[in-house]
Amino acid sequence: MGCVIATKKMMKPRDYKSEVPVVWCPGCGHYGVLDAIYRALAGAGIEPSQLISISGIGCSSRTPYFLHSYKMHTLHGRAGAVATGAQLARPDLTVMVFGGDGDGFSIGGGHMPHMARKNVNMTYVLFDNGIYGLTKGQYSPTSPSAMKAYTTPYGSPDEPLNPLLYMLTYGATYVAQGFAGKPSVCAKLIQDGLQHKGFSYIHILSQCPSFNTVDSVETYREAVAAIPDGHDTSNLGDAMTLARDGVNGGIPMGLLYQITRPTLDERMHAIVQGVSGHKGYDLNRIITLSRP
Ligand code: SF4
Ligand code: MG
């Protein structure tokens, strides 16, 4: 079960709710994502005392406040780097990262490839609302082209980044996408990500009715399409095709890709064993096994 600590105690979603009031705008998609996170944690049976939740800056980065867990509210874009350190220091705990599209792919864009390629044993939930919400409406790396926002009054001149292709390209071993309007689907994807050994990336489309008037909940609801049952989740090429072309043009929702290979903490453990003269150390074998 990877980094998950299995317990005999039955957990309920409410066991993860902190005493801090949730303070997002009415209609914000993040409420659905938070609900999914509570359900996923309960489904995976993780004790709050075994969970570290880490975030950067942004509306979604407030999530750790609403969770009953150990938590770190870190620097803008740096949550993944902090989480990597936390995971190496305490590989026995479950590490989760929460953040948005700007935090992850703009300010934190230098960190995303490395969590993926190193296969850090953590679960990263990215709330994508295509805008900087906390700072009141600047366009982000995932804003639709030509979208008008506070910093693009004549329309965005950029093409949006494709986060799924990005994470697949850099070697993430679990890549899934959900939509905040379907919290049950998101809960399943997050729970499976928690139970995956390695770097699990769950991308969730989450509307921001206050500042993104293009990607509304109604638009998403019509645009998303479930990934067909026959999809081979171990085939990188098929996953990339889905990430690029969607499902008959619809936004793919579900699990795109999942493989196993040794994690960063396993490799580091092997090195420590070797340096300290333990028998059975063979980093080359572990590295060979780690190649997909
Ligand atoms: Fe949600 Fe947008 Fe309000 Fe932030 S600004 S809480 S993302 S609706
Ligand atoms: Mg955002």
Side-chain angles (χ1 to χ4, degrees), residues 100-102 127 129-133:
D101 39 299
F127 304 47
N129 55 14
I131 198 85
Y132 286 87

Side-chain angles (χ1 to χ4, degrees), residues 191-214:
Q191 181 178 333
D192 289 350
L194 284 164
Q195 292 172 321
H196 171 77
K197 183 168 74 68
F199 183 71
S200 28
Y201 177 77
I202 301 104
H203 191 90
I204 301 189
L205 304 167
S206 178
Q207 73 276 5
C208 170
S210 296
F211 296 108
N212 183 334
T213 53
V214 175

Side-chain angles (χ1 to χ4, degrees), residues 258-281:
Q258 183 173 22
I259 59 162
T260 54
R261 61 183 168 89
T263 59
L264 178 63
D265 64 291
E266 286 175 335
R267 289 182 175 208
M268 294 294 280
H269 180 72
I271 290 170
V272 170
Q273 295 277 304
V275 170
S276 58
H278 287 261
K279 286 183 183 166
Y281 159 70

